[in-house]
Amino acid sequence: MRSDRYEAHFVTLDSVSLKDNLLGDPTQRTTVVLSPQDIPPDEPLPMIWVLTGYTGRGIAYLNHNPWQENFLDRLTRLTHQGMRPIRAVLPDCFTKLGGSQYLDSPVTGPYATYLWDELRPQIESRFAVSARAVVGKSSGGFGALVSVIMRPELFQALASHSGDMLFEWSYLPDFPKAYQVIESQGGIRQFIDAFLRRDDKPSSWINAMNIICLAAVYSPNLNKQDFPADFPLRFDTLEMDRDVWQKWMRWDPLQLVDQVRVQNILSSLQLLYFDAGRFDEFQLQYGATRLHQKLLTYQIPHQYELYDGNHFRTNHRFDHSLPLLANALWTLRT
């Protein structure tokens, strides 16, 4: 079975899961499916779900950026280089706060439910699937890992590029500057309103919005009047609320992997791959190394890489993960 080129299909779904979400985000979402041109959609193929990082939408992977391939061209080139054919699914889980971490939250919305219980069956009713994997970058790398843990019956392989973990070093250092930016606008709601109005969004403002988004996902609190989430550090003193911080930490992959249930899930995978750049701005190289060490201790097979690079402009890492995932899923067919 061979096809030299891929083509994009656009599937638009008006989501029932996202109806009446608290942020007022649109329920109609367009998902991109990249499929080999010469293989009919009813021919079962391995399906790889590709999760973007914070502020991302799947369709953005089709953009043409200077000196970089888009995802469609990358798949075509990798196929010419010998990768077995797959289908790639690029969903849209963007929110007004910039993301969803691919989890269910009463604040951002039920994006795990939308993705795996609503959207996936719709995609698979149009494109036959033989096996599934999920891959992501940054927040998407985190989303890939937790999706496998929450829906282990769905996936046979996983890849995470610079996925969120080691929260005390990847998240906490951003809080002081984020709080300063938020308070410069008079508080959380005032900051969100100013952010949405502002055409130019500097990185300091995006980082502040990221902290708000994470609180909305990890520690939602609909009883709060100013903003429906708890924050793990006080705005005025940076003192830690240990109870709130524990709500965040229960999602840290380095905590999750200590659970026997999670160890069994990860051990059952055909492929578990993760990497990080040695100069990652969010210290994720240290988290990846700790995860590698824990997996060795628990005797869980995996592939782990550190490479010369940072956290951004790392689409080239798909050259490593996609052929590995394709090979793992095709192995299940033989």
Side-chain angles (χ1 to χ4, degrees):
M1 184 183 296
R2 186 84 179 177
S3 181
D4 289 334
R5 294 197 63 82
Y6 281 75
E7 60 184 355
H9 304 261
F10 300 89
V11 179
T12 299
L13 173 67
D14 194 358
S15 170
V16 175
S17 304
L18 301 181
K19 185 179 179 182
D20 299 324
N21 66 84
L22 193 64
L23 297 178
D25 283 320
T27 58
Q28 189 173 93
R29 303 294 175 112
T30 296
T31 298
V32 182
V33 180
L34 304 180
S35 186
Q37 281 185 347
D38 302 328
I39 299 177
D42 60 353
E43 176 70 33
L45 284 180
M47 185 171 284
I48 300 177
W49 289 74
V50 185
L51 308 184
T52 63
Y54 181 67
T55 75
R57 283 188 165 100
I59 199 169
Y61 276 131
L62 299 186
N63 292 347
H64 285 276
N65 296 315
W67 303 293
Q68 289 194 58
E69 295 170 303
N70 68 10
F71 212 88
L72 192 60
D73 293 338
R74 186 178 302 276
L75 283 180
T76 296
R77 175 177 56 78
L78 289 173
T79 299
H80 287 160
Q81 293 173 352
M83 187 179 79
R84 303 289 295 274
I86 60 157
R87 293 191 177 99
V89 185
L90 317 178
D92 174 11
C93 293
F94 183 78
T95 73
K96 187 179 294 183
L97 302 182
S100 64
Q101 296 295 99
Y102 302 94
L103 296 175
D104 287 346
S105 162
V107 180
T108 54
Y111 280 90
T113 297
Y114 160 70
L115 196 57
W116 306 125
D117 300 341
E118 185 178 13
L119 177 62
R120 179 190 55 81
Q122 288 291 325
I123 297 298
E124 293 181 3
S125 70
R126 307 181 190 202
F127 298 92
V129 57
S130 60
R132 302 182 199 89
V134 58
V135 60
K137 289 172 42 184
S138 190
S139 293
F142 168 85
L145 180 58
V146 297
S147 293
V148 168
I149 291 171
M150 293 189 302
R151 303 288 201 284
E153 71 282 2
L154 295 181
F155 301 103
Q156 291 77 50
L158 155 69
S160 174
H161 298 294
S162 304
D164 295 9
M165 62 183 73
L166 190 63
F167 287 0
E168 62 268 36
W169 283 104
S170 59
Y171 290 160
L172 285 182
D174 286 341
F175 272 79
K177 294 295 185 184
Y179 279 6
Q180 291 165 27
V181 171
I182 292 168
E183 292 192 312
S184 74
Q185 300 303 307
I188 299 171
R189 288 195 180 276
Q190 295 91 330
F191 168 77
I192 294 173
D193 290 342
F195 182 95
L196 296 175
R197 289 194 307 267
R198 184 168 181 169
D199 291 327
D200 62 319
K201 294 174 171 56
S203 60
S204 60
W205 282 51
I206 294 174
N207 289 339
M209 184 64 90
N210 184 43
I211 292 297
I212 294 171
C213 179
L214 293 173
V217 173
Y218 295 145
S219 50
N221 183 353
L222 298 182
N223 295 320
K224 293 290 287 290
Q225 294 187 0
D226 54 346
F227 181 77
D230 294 317
F231 288 76
L233 302 182
R234 285 183 53 152
F235 271 77
D236 55 351
T237 65
L238 294 181
E239 291 173 282
M240 178 173 284
D241 184 323
R242 296 288 175 183
D243 291 336
V244 176
W245 181 237
Q246 186 54 41
K247 292 179 181 179
W248 288 48
M249 287 296 289
R250 71 187 181 96
W251 288 107
D252 190 328
L254 296 178
Q255 302 289 319
L256 290 169
V257 76
D258 290 331
Q259 301 175 23
V260 174
R261 181 186 72 88
V262 173
Q263 295 166 22
N264 291 336
I265 291 169
L266 298 181
S267 295
S268 70
L269 292 173
Q270 193 75 11
L271 174 72
L272 168 56
Y273 173 90
F274 58 96
D275 67 12
R278 289 190 175 87
F279 309 103
D280 190 284
E281 292 85 344
F282 303 99
Q283 292 70 244
L284 293 170
Q285 67 274 45
Y286 303 109
T289 301
R290 288 198 197 183
L291 180 60
H292 165 62
Q293 292 170 346
K294 285 196 171 197
L295 293 174
L296 288 176
T297 299
Y298 296 132
Q299 298 182 317
I300 298 174
H302 64 282
Q303 295 187 39
Y304 146 82
E305 288 186 66
L306 292 183
Y307 59 91
D308 289 331
N310 58 21
H311 192 74
F312 302 101
R313 297 180 70 85
T314 57
N315 284 355
H316 61 279
R317 297 303 300 175
F318 285 122
D319 280 13
H320 297 259
S321 60
L322 291 175
L324 289 172
L325 292 168
N327 183 65
L329 297 184
W330 270 94
T331 298
L332 295 171
R333 294 174 57 118
T334 59

